[in-house]
Amino acid sequence: MQAIPRHRRSTHRPERVRARRPRRIDRRRFALASLAAALLAAGTVATTTAAELPVSFAVAGTPFTVTAQRLEATGATQFASFRRDGGGTRHAAAVVGIRSARISGLCQSAVAHTPLGTVTLVIRSGSGDPVRAEDMVLDLTRLTGNMTFSSVEMGRDADTLDSSGITGPAGTYGQQARTLTIDNLRLNAWSLAAGTFSLSDAGMSVRRGEHPCA
């Protein structure tokens, strides 16, 4: 009988490939970069229709500031309500709905206090074309400026408002106007949402410390 050769086991062992250790990341830079991204996301407006706007989403715990040389709006409504932040706290707010607006000299600033320090995000519109906003909703805590209304209706049931497409709870005070103009506008708001929000030649900056719009 023919002998069948036996295969010898290989004594060669494959070399182990050492995994490269990831480079250490500067936690401070990473945190500030993440914060800037979060603030930018907070300032970005969703492109949905007014009927789909999530006007009851949880808001941040600190209002942001908006200033403008002039706001010209068509179709404006207003009523009182509350907004909840991420911790469940309710904040009183004046809900303002605007069908269409043109805003000149816009500046928006959001200040965030973090364990690493205070950071301010500022967004400014260009000096040319005004900002265009459609189907806009703001939850305000304060508004100042020189205001002019036309075709005003005050004391109307908030559930029957029809100027901007935004209505409030039945039986509560509401008011609306066909047009609204505000010069030297300054407001503090919990939130802003819009169907469209268009800025031409806009600029954004992130700085350490508190640097709100003047």
Side-chain angles (χ1 to χ4, degrees):
M1 295 180 63
Q2 184 178 0
I4 299 175
R6 295 181 179 180
H7 295 282
R8 295 182 179 178
R9 294 181 179 178
S10 174
T11 58
H12 174 71
R13 295 182 180 180
E15 295 183 0
R16 294 182 179 179
V17 179
R18 295 183 179 179
R20 295 182 178 179
R21 295 182 179 179
R23 295 180 179 177
R24 294 182 179 178
I25 299 174
D26 188 322
R27 292 183 178 180
R28 183 178 295 271
R29 292 181 180 178
F30 177 77
L32 289 176
S34 299
L35 176 62
L39 288 172
L40 178 59
T44 302
V45 180
T47 55
T48 59
T49 61
E52 298 169 342
L53 290 176
V55 294
S56 60
F57 57 78
V59 299
T62 305
F64 58 88
T65 300
V66 175
T67 63
Q69 297 172 359
R70 185 178 179 88
L71 178 146
E72 298 176 318
T74 300
T77 57
Q78 187 272 320
F79 56 90
S81 184
F82 289 91
R83 291 293 174 255
R84 292 183 183 273
D85 61 25
T89 303
R90 296 204 313 170
H91 302 277
V95 181
V96 176
I98 294 177
R99 180 81 68 181
S100 177
R102 299 294 180 267
I103 310 169
S104 302
L106 174 73
C107 176
Q108 176 183 340
S109 61
V111 178
H113 302 282
T114 77
L116 299 177
T118 302
V119 178
T120 303
L121 169 72
V122 178
I123 300 175
R124 296 182 184 274
S125 64
S127 58
D129 296 334
V131 175
R132 300 189 305 276
E134 307 293 335
D135 300 322
M136 183 167 62
V137 183
L138 302 100
D139 294 330
L140 305 181
T141 64
R142 181 179 176 82
L143 184 150
T144 60
N146 302 320
M147 299 178 233
T148 302
F149 303 85
S150 70
S151 301
V152 182
E153 297 177 354
M154 296 185 179
R156 181 165 172 167
D157 190 308
D159 187 47
T160 69
L161 299 173
D162 57 9
S163 187
S164 72
I166 301 299
T167 60
T172 60
Y173 175 92
Q175 59 188 32
Q176 65 180 18
R178 184 173 59 84
T179 64
L180 167 64
T181 301
I182 306 178
D183 290 313
N184 300 321
L185 167 70
R186 183 180 182 85
L187 62 84
N188 296 329
W190 292 113
S191 68
L192 181 155
T196 58
F197 199 85
S198 177
L199 298 86
S200 298
D201 194 26
M204 185 193 76
S205 63
V206 180
R207 300 175 58 187
R208 292 179 179 272
E210 292 192 25
H211 305 281
C213 298

